[in-house]
Amino acid sequence: MQISVITLFPELISSVIQIGVLGRAVERGQVGVQAISPREFASDPRRTVDDRPFGGGPGMVLKVEPTRSALRAASAALPAGSRRIYLGADGTPLTQAKVAELAGLPGMVLLAGRYEGVDERLLSTEVDETISIGDYVLSGGELPALVLIDAVVRTLPGVLGDEESAQQDSFMAGLLDWPHYTRPEQIEDLRVPDVLIGGNHEAIRRWRLKQALGRTWLRRPDLLAAKVLDAEQQALLAEFKAEQR
Ligand code: SAM
């Protein structure tokens, strides 16, 4: 997958993509990420990329021309079928289902806004989709772009080793993850649940599924409401609820 980020702060992108799972994927060539600044495409000597909003009010707005040139140059260098995405608080929410959809694309151009945002004429003509990472406002689209890149890249084939498999992560099966423990077995009065050290794989599977169901019921009932539970899952959730009482 090839990804280009249009941003006024390319160094924000290039520093983060060197680290951890993402850094490894870049190093192995499983994903290519480049950052392009609209300033490179500004035609005046001061490299102006923003201007005051029509109608008045605070803040500045990213201008059409340099941002559009950057977006078009990035798109032209990406494989056919790549998607142009604006990161905006007014977009559709980024979910694991959306991440799975994006992971099937050959490439993406991610447009990170700044200040009050981007001239709407650019968004309505050059962007395929607007995505939000949550119901809060950040100062720029770079962190949302990095969130999206990280979430997508870790699901690409071969990026995570077996031991880090994304298949068991929260949201993959419409549930939150179960609790995790590591050595030592006992810290002060806190003990690892006995079932996890008993070596009974079927009992461990059932315990984990029950915890995932229970945690989702407690913390994200909206997820549970959207899921059809099979007979085993219904029974385990009923057990969890009974234990809570
Ligand atoms: N005036 C905008 C609004 O009320 O939606 C906020 C602009 S914000 C200060 C600057 C940039 O941050 C936006 O252009 C967008 O690219 C990015 N941004 C802020 N919050 C975001 C979110 N929740 N998801 C995705 N991008 C966001």
Side-chain angles (χ1 to χ4, degrees), residues 86-89 112-117 131-134 136-141 144:
Y86 171 57
L87 282 310
R114 277 273 156 180
Y115 318 126
E116 282 308 308
I131 293 181
S132 163
I133 64 157
Y136 41 81
V137 175
L138 296 155
S139 314

Side-chain angles (χ1 to χ4, degrees), residues 49-233:
V49 291
D50 57 341
D51 209 333
R52 285 166 296 146
F54 277 121
M60 300 293 270
V61 176
L62 289 186
K63 290 164 69 67
V64 170
E65 303 94 318
T67 315
R68 181 172 60 190
S69 300
L71 201 84
R72 288 183 178 173
S75 293
L78 291 188
S82 297
R83 199 174 294 177
R84 299 161 304 173
I85 297 168
Y86 171 57
L87 282 310
D90 54 351
T92 52
L94 183 66
T95 60
Q96 198 65 42
K98 174 56 79 177
V99 165
E101 178 196 324
L102 299 177
L105 295 171
M108 298 184 283
V109 181
L110 304 177
L111 172 57
R114 277 273 156 180
Y115 318 126
E116 282 308 308
V118 181
D119 190 308
E120 188 64 26
R121 290 167 295 181
L122 176 81
L123 300 180
S124 60
T125 55
E126 304 277 335
V127 161
D128 302 312
E129 172 172 21
T130 299
I131 293 181
S132 163
I133 64 157
D135 290 348
Y136 41 81
V137 175
L138 296 155
S139 314
E142 291 77 12
L143 294 176
L146 286 164
V147 166
L148 186 153
I149 293 171
D150 187 280
V152 168
V153 169
R154 70 196 305 284
T155 69
L156 297 179
V159 166
L160 294 185
D162 272 353
E163 72 283 3
E164 304 166 303
S165 170
Q167 291 315 310
Q168 295 175 349
D169 282 345
S170 292
F171 310 114
M172 280 307 204
L175 297 174
L176 300 183
D177 198 6
W178 54 72
H180 298 273
Y181 299 88
T182 187
R183 274 176 272 276
E185 286 178 22
Q186 180 104 28
I187 296 181
E188 292 145 18
D189 59 343
L190 301 173
R191 195 172 155 67
V192 173
D194 285 337
V195 62
L196 296 181
I197 40 187
N200 180 336
H201 295 299
E202 175 55 14
I204 293 171
R205 184 193 68 78
R206 284 174 55 80
W207 182 87
R208 285 178 166 165
L209 180 55
K210 181 163 79 175
Q211 298 307 314
L213 286 159
R215 188 165 272 199
T216 310
W217 172 68
L218 286 172
R219 298 182 184 177
R220 291 293 303 273
D222 57 310
L223 291 179
L224 216 48
K227 189 173 164 64
V228 179
L229 300 186
D230 63 23
E232 182 191 39
Q233 291 170 334

